[in-house]
Amino acid sequence: MALWGGRFETGPDSLFKALNDSLRFDYRLALEDLDGSLGWASAIHKAGVLTDEEHRSLAQSIRDLRAAVERDPQLPLISGTQAGDEDIHSWVERTLIERVGDLARKLHTGRSRNDQVATDLRLWTRRAIDDRLAELLACRRSLINLASRELETIIPGYTHLQRAQPVLMAHWCLAYEQMFARDSARLANARAGVNVCPLGSGALAGTAYPIDRAALAADLGFDRCSSNSLDAVSDRDFVAETLAACAITGVHLSRLGEDLIIYGSQEFAFFEFHDSVSSGSSLMPQKKNPDSAELLRGKCGRIAGDLVALLTTLKGLPLAYNKDLQEDKEPLFDAMDHLSLCLRVTPRILDTLTVRRGTCLGAAEGGYSNATDLADYLVSKGVAFRHAHDIVGAAVRHAISKSVPLGSLPLADLRAFSDRIGPDVFDRISIERGLRSREVTGGTGREAVAAALARARAELESAG
Ligand code: ARG
């Protein structure tokens, strides 16, 4: 059913209709459209547009339809496509008319699809954010659990993907936990921008009916109603902020994915993925591929793309509503769908991950990652750091030529580089000693990490 045929002599061209119709994707707003309609019915009832009896029966039919959609979310898509409905708003109106007759034709009094769709999308986004926040909490919980399991495990820390200094694996886990904690804060912040009610803005100038907009906003669970009708029907910065938060989360997931892939490769062999999150090769029988982590890494492109698509759509739009704005939904839905999948798979990867602790330790011991500790040792013996740096560089070159770690060089070899080196050097350049010297807040010392873990756990408990 078209909502606007009266002025027209002909119906829409079929190709134009294919371009213009949005039911194909906006059927996903059905519940929100019905919730918004229920709120609107009560607002126009209070404004004297509907009698008590009319309101009662209209509200009941909206609730019945809502229950039908809850039972079968595809209902609007299937029945609306058959009927040729332009969008979800057309489907709701036509279906209500079929159910309660002419009374349903009063529902749209004082309302426009412009304030209606902005309201629906805000309701949808609010719920999607709440779902992502719960999923982020689950990811954080998995990282914290992995950190607890691997509290003793030492891995090499990298810069430039070259072994740099040993770190606790728990420290690595908590680095990602911090990223996800900030992602949650960004999404929660976006939610506050989302939670404003545009309904009552009409097409662009404000509704001509005496609607109590503050009461309507409260009724729909919004924090407040919007302050400017032109802005309310035409801006989508609340979607942009949400997508920006999603895109950054996607970037973090991609980094986690990459670390998992590298550390899980046969070259590193720190981790092994569980079969349940791995795939095989159709050709090479021996292969077990980390596809789950690769998709954590790979999905980030489309989520960032969704943000760019939306921003590009919004750029240069004249006030107020323009049909371009219909293009806001698919990027949002796409980003949320794929982010959700990634966030839900992440705990499964982490919870089932096998960590090869011996291999990790061996790698942390190799690569001369205690060279800084040797320089610090020399500093403690009165050598200036820059000088110490040179001495240790030469000692490392020597150790490389003999293919041994620094700590395996005989004392005499070490003393050839500096006579300040004494027998206490071996303890001072051990990994344990290196960790012990990094108990600064935020450092990888065992106590510092245990404290960070306790803080992360407490924060998680209070958040969820
Ligand atoms: N399907 C439209 C959208 O998503 C609904 C609003 C249509 N408004 C209009 N004035 N044609 O934006």
Side-chain angles (χ1 to χ4, degrees):
M1 181 188 83
L3 297 177
W4 39 261
R7 181 200 189 286
F8 289 77
E9 279 182 17
T10 66
D13 174 90
S14 63
L15 268 181
F16 164 64
K17 191 165 164 55
L19 175 70
N20 189 52
D21 288 4
S22 54
L23 183 74
R24 178 172 59 78
F25 49 87
D26 71 11
Y27 78 94
R28 294 179 61 174
L29 298 176
L31 291 178
E32 288 74 17
D33 201 74
L34 288 159
D35 288 341
S37 295
L38 205 54
W40 186 247
S42 124
I44 56 175
H45 168 229
K46 285 186 214 152
V49 173
L50 298 178
T51 65
D52 292 351
E53 176 49 30
E54 284 175 329
H55 176 233
R56 203 198 49 72
S57 118
L58 186 55
Q60 192 51 50
S61 70
I62 295 173
R63 276 191 224 99
D64 291 346
L65 189 52
R66 193 185 193 290
V69 174
E70 269 200 314
R71 276 195 305 275
D72 177 10
Q74 300 283 313
L75 175 70
L77 180 62
I78 291 165
S79 71
T81 306
Q82 248 164 26
D85 293 328
E86 178 183 329
D87 56 21
I88 187 59
H89 323 295
S90 319
W91 179 82
V92 167
E93 195 165 322
R94 180 182 58 75
T95 312
L96 286 175
I97 292 169
E98 276 172 18
R99 289 176 171 224
V100 280
D102 274 349
L103 169 57
R105 296 184 197 273
K106 294 191 175 183
L107 175 60
H108 209 53
T109 313
R111 185 175 69 167
S112 158
R113 276 186 295 164
N114 298 350
D115 58 350
Q116 186 178 356
V117 73
T119 305
D120 293 0
L121 198 62
R122 283 175 184 268
L123 290 172
W124 192 93
T125 308
R126 185 174 75 188
R127 196 170 53 175
I129 289 178
D130 289 342
D131 291 345
R132 297 303 81 73
L133 285 172
E135 292 160 3
L136 275 164
L137 274 184
C139 289
R140 289 167 64 190
R141 183 163 297 119
S142 288
L143 284 163
I144 287 173
N145 289 342
L146 184 59
S148 307
R149 281 204 302 282
E150 302 300 333
L151 203 48
E152 300 295 315
T153 308
I154 295 169
I155 60 172
Y158 295 86
T159 64
H160 313 269
L161 202 53
Q162 306 290 320
R163 286 177 198 163
Q165 290 172 341
V167 295
L168 290 179
M169 178 160 164
H171 200 47
W172 174 90
C173 293
L174 292 176
Y176 284 105
E177 192 276 335
Q178 285 291 296
M179 294 179 224
F180 290 142
R182 290 194 300 277
D183 292 335
S184 303
R186 262 184 292 272
L187 269 177
N189 195 46
R191 190 189 192 283
V194 168
N195 208 24
V196 176
C197 185
L199 206 54
S201 298
L204 74 162
T207 183
Y209 291 80
I211 299 296
D212 180 347
R213 290 197 57 217
L216 173 57
D219 192 23
L220 293 173
F222 287 111
D223 295 333
R224 59 184 176 86
C225 61
S226 56
S227 308
N228 181 296
S229 58
L230 292 170
D231 175 44
V233 295
S234 71
D235 208 345
R236 296 291 184 271
D237 55 357
F238 72 93
V239 183
E241 284 187 349
T242 303
L243 285 178
C246 290
I248 296 174
T249 309
V251 169
H252 288 154
L253 283 166
S254 80
R255 298 191 68 181
L256 174 62
E258 170 68 354
D259 265 357
L260 289 168
I261 292 162
I262 300 180
Y263 297 172
S265 70
Q266 280 149 7
E267 280 64 27
F268 281 70
F270 298 171
F271 297 163
E272 192 179 327
F273 288 86
H274 196 262
D275 283 1
S276 60
V277 289
S278 307
S279 308
S281 156
S282 58
L283 180 81
M284 299 165 282
Q286 85 284 10
K287 292 289 300 271
K288 178 168 151 184
N289 298 325
D291 296 35
S292 53
E294 288 172 304
L295 285 164
L296 295 189
R297 187 176 61 185
K299 290 284 187 191
C300 147
R302 72 185 300 150
I303 300 175
D306 290 327
L307 169 63
V308 173
L310 179 84
L311 290 173
T312 312
T313 297
L314 298 183
K315 179 193 172 293
L317 282 185
L319 283 180
Y321 179 86
N322 301 271
K323 198 56 171 278
D324 314 44
L325 289 171
Q326 182 164 281
E327 293 292 311
D328 58 0
K329 289 165 208 63
E330 284 171 292
L332 178 64
F333 294 165
D334 183 78
M336 286 297 186
D337 290 347
H338 291 272
L339 182 61
S340 172
L341 267 174
C342 291
L343 290 173
R344 284 180 291 152
V345 165
T346 297
R348 302 204 177 182
I349 301 175
L350 297 171
D351 295 350
T352 60
L353 194 69
T354 303
V355 178
R356 297 210 186 93
R357 295 170 185 161
T359 311
C360 294
L361 181 62
E365 283 168 337
Y368 304 97
S369 52
N370 53 355
T372 316
D373 297 324
L374 180 54
D376 287 337
Y377 169 84
L378 286 166
V379 168
S380 77
K381 303 286 178 184
V383 181
F385 180 77
R386 196 46 64 203
H387 191 199
H389 189 284
D390 284 346
I391 294 171
V392 176
V396 166
R397 200 158 7 97
H398 175 70
I400 289 173
S401 75
K402 297 184 86 174
S403 301
V404 292
L406 277 176
S408 301
L409 287 174
L411 182 58
D413 283 29
L414 285 170
R415 282 181 62 83
F417 296 97
S418 167
D419 58 10
R420 307 284 176 91
I421 298 178
D424 58 340
V425 70
F426 297 106
D427 170 59
R428 294 281 295 275
I429 64 174
S430 72
I431 288 196
E432 272 313 319
R433 187 59 186 250
L435 288 177
R436 237 182 297 142
S437 67
R438 295 196 167 78
E439 293 293 3
V440 64
T441 302
T444 196
R446 289 194 186 277
E447 278 167 33
V449 171
L453 182 58
R455 270 198 310 275
R457 227 183 240 298
E459 242 176 64
L460 190 74
E461 296 323 323
S462 72

